[in-house]
Amino acid sequence: MLTEREILSTLEMLRSENLDVRTVTLGVSLFDCVSDDPGRFIERVRAKIGRLAGDFVDVCEEVGQRYGIPIVNKRLSVSPVAAAAGGFSAEQMVAIAEGLDEIAGRLRCDFLGGFSALVEKGFARGDRALIEAIPEALARTSRLCSSVNVASTAAGINMDAVALMGRTVRAAAGRTADRDGIGCAKLVVFANIPQDVPFMAGAYLGVGEPDAVVNVGVSGPGVVRKAIDRARAADPGLDLGALSEIIKRTAFKVTRVGELIGRRVAARLDVPFGVADLSLAPTPNPGDSVGEIFRSLGLESIGAPGSTAVLAMLNDAVKKGGIFASSHVGGLSGAFIPVSEDLSIAEAARTGRLSLEKLEALTSVCSVGLDMVAIPGDTSAETIGAIIADEMAIGVVNSKSTAARLIPVPGKKAGDRVSFGGLLGDATIMPVPGGGSGGFVALGGRIPAPVHSFKN
């Protein structure tokens, strides 16, 4: 049970340390909207989401104002469209994407996720149609987000899907070349995708989820950094074990805030509360950076030797604190390291302290993966596929979620700057290691699941 003391203890975090509820996401199942006609399908979707989410944004704002806790984003997630609309063509999938985008806009939701396919073990007809539709769908919409799961620890890595996603990422960048390839900022390729992620671009409502559910994502890198700074100022002799304990206690309080807001919103909408996703999700604003935590723990910058160890400790402490605070922690839960969305990480990339290779190493211990990484526009589809394959291998072998959100920026080369605006931030184009990967990616097939996957 939440107490007034626990709420009051967070007021300082809210006033001066950038604590917020980053997102409240209402998931809606579309499986009872299935039809053999795309127009009828989207009308059923419009009616159902309108019934469940008509007051969603107003409820979030009222709950946020009542507790004085800002809710930054209000989002929708839906069942994977490739499954719910599996009988339609790519052109019809694009029309459905536009319909979903219109629904999200009419309800004043920031994003809608679920234009998704799960193909880790192979393709169904709807999967191929949806993936073919992704570039055009992302170019024609502003709120729609897309994700494709191409690998899992149980199934291995679908290399045919990896190669296809390499081409799809290139095509999505090309269709939005006039906006620096921003379509790719709304497209993520996953291994072991969770079914209850409230964060975009990976949010979708899994097949094992309720008909409707509220999941909440809490941020707080600024809170963690300030807690570390205060503790070290009071006692300069603190070691990493003691600092880990401080991060854990801070994560506990942050999770309490998220669960409070999530449960209140769910109750007002008369739908179940799902999970609190405790992710240290940064913004491009000073004081709200995961990269700054690295400096508070003694490194000159993220990317310096020791960075992987710091991130591993940070991720573990955040999860331990969150698990103690709530019985329903889910999603990705850990530390995000999106390059363009974090001021310190973007600066480390600009100055060369952080390379693509070091980022890949960091993703072995963080909660997402290669996130919002801008690469040269002439990077081949085969090379993009190979980078995705490397990232998927980290997730599959380590039985963890991982992902790649790569943006080959048309017409730009390594060292150039690009601005995506808003929370998506600015980035310096990172160089991609040389050496051909086309022969490997072209082999196709499925990389078998690792031996430790055989658990039942």
Side-chain angles (χ1 to χ4, degrees):
M1 179 65 72
L2 299 166
T3 68
E4 289 187 6
R5 180 180 294 275
E6 286 174 319
I7 301 301
L8 290 172
S9 72
T10 67
L11 289 179
E12 185 60 26
M13 299 177 182
L14 294 164
R15 275 198 296 263
S16 61
E17 299 172 4
N18 298 307
L19 176 62
D20 53 44
V21 172
R22 183 58 52 83
T23 178
V24 175
T25 302
L26 175 63
V28 179
S29 172
L30 302 187
F31 289 120
D32 55 355
C33 301
V34 171
S35 172
D36 60 355
D37 179 84
R40 190 176 304 118
F41 172 76
I42 201 65
E43 282 306 314
R44 290 176 177 174
V45 171
R46 182 176 287 109
K48 181 170 184 180
I49 295 180
R51 173 171 55 83
L52 290 168
D55 298 328
F56 174 53
V57 172
D58 290 336
V59 167
C60 288
E61 291 176 350
E62 289 172 16
V63 171
Q65 289 173 4
R66 176 181 178 187
Y67 292 98
I69 300 170
I71 300 174
V72 180
N73 293 295
K74 299 89 178 176
R75 298 167 173 174
L76 297 170
S77 65
V78 298
S79 308
V81 171
F88 301 137
S89 67
E91 292 76 15
Q92 291 168 324
M93 289 286 190
V94 173
I96 290 170
E98 291 180 298
L100 291 170
D101 194 63
E102 181 272 329
I103 293 169
R106 184 166 49 81
L107 297 177
R108 295 178 288 132
C109 294
D110 301 288
F111 288 104
L112 184 150
F115 199 71
S116 306
L118 311 175
V119 296
E120 61 270 22
K121 211 168 183 177
F123 297 93
R125 177 185 171 191
D127 299 325
R128 289 194 181 278
L130 182 131
I131 294 172
E132 183 181 344
I134 285 175
E136 190 66 22
L138 294 180
R140 291 193 189 185
T141 59
S142 58
R143 292 177 172 82
L144 186 82
C145 291
S146 180
S147 59
V148 178
N149 193 71
V150 301
S152 72
T153 298
I157 305 173
N158 182 347
M159 287 301 295
D160 294 323
V162 166
L164 178 56
M165 289 312 299
R167 297 192 293 272
T168 302
V169 169
R170 283 275 304 177
R175 295 293 177 88
T176 53
D178 58 332
R179 289 167 283 166
D180 288 329
I182 198 169
C184 296
K186 300 184 292 176
L187 172 61
V188 59
V189 184
F190 264 99
N192 292 320
I193 185 172
Q195 300 190 53
D196 53 9
V197 181
F199 287 99
M200 299 297 170
Y204 81 105
L205 188 70
V207 295
E209 294 285 306
D211 191 52
V213 65
V214 167
N215 295 318
V216 63
V218 180
S219 184
V223 175
V224 171
R225 182 180 65 82
K226 287 287 185 63
I228 294 170
D229 290 346
R230 277 196 301 269
R232 295 196 69 188
D235 183 357
L238 287 177
D239 65 12
L240 288 169
L243 292 169
S244 176
E245 180 68 16
I246 290 166
I247 297 170
K248 188 173 70 176
R249 290 172 179 270
T250 305
F252 171 85
K253 295 178 181 177
V254 170
T255 305
R256 287 291 207 190
V257 171
E259 180 153 342
L260 169 70
I261 295 298
R263 288 192 179 279
R264 293 295 185 270
V265 171
R268 289 284 305 277
L269 295 175
D270 194 26
V271 300
F273 171 72
V275 299
D277 183 326
L278 178 64
S279 286
L280 296 183
T283 72
N285 303 321
D288 200 22
S289 163
V290 171
E292 290 172 349
I293 298 173
F294 287 67
R295 291 206 288 265
S296 292
L297 290 171
L299 296 178
E300 288 189 1
S301 165
I302 184 172
S307 296
T308 307
V310 166
L311 187 56
M313 184 192 80
L314 178 63
N315 218 45
D316 180 70
V318 166
K319 289 185 176 182
K320 286 174 177 172
I323 290 170
F324 186 56
S326 172
S327 297
H328 299 289
V329 172
L332 294 163
S333 287
F336 289 3
I337 51 171
V339 176
S340 71
E341 298 176 7
D342 186 300
L343 196 63
S344 292
I345 298 176
E347 176 64 13
R350 186 189 69 80
T351 58
R353 295 190 183 100
L354 186 61
S355 66
L356 190 63
E357 296 90 327
K358 184 61 177 176
L359 265 178
E360 185 179 303
L362 293 173
T363 65
S364 66
V365 297
C366 80
S367 63
V368 187
L370 295 171
D371 198 16
M372 290 298 290
V373 180
I375 58 177
D378 60 358
T379 307
S380 71
E382 292 76 15
T383 298
I384 294 171
I387 296 171
I388 292 172
D390 284 342
E391 194 58 37
M392 299 301 102
I394 290 172
V396 166
V397 171
N398 292 288
S399 299
K400 69 184 290 293
S401 299
T402 192
R405 186 160 51 152
L406 304 170
I407 307 170
V409 183
K412 297 202 173 180
K413 61 183 186 305
D416 289 346
R417 295 278 293 171
V418 60
S419 178
F420 300 113
L423 286 176
L424 298 178
D426 302 338
T428 300
I429 311 291
M430 299 184 77
V432 173
S437 307
F440 163 67
V441 173
L443 290 174
R446 180 153 57 96
I447 295 177
V451 66
H452 61 258
S453 68
F454 299 107
K455 299 175 182 176
N456 55 38

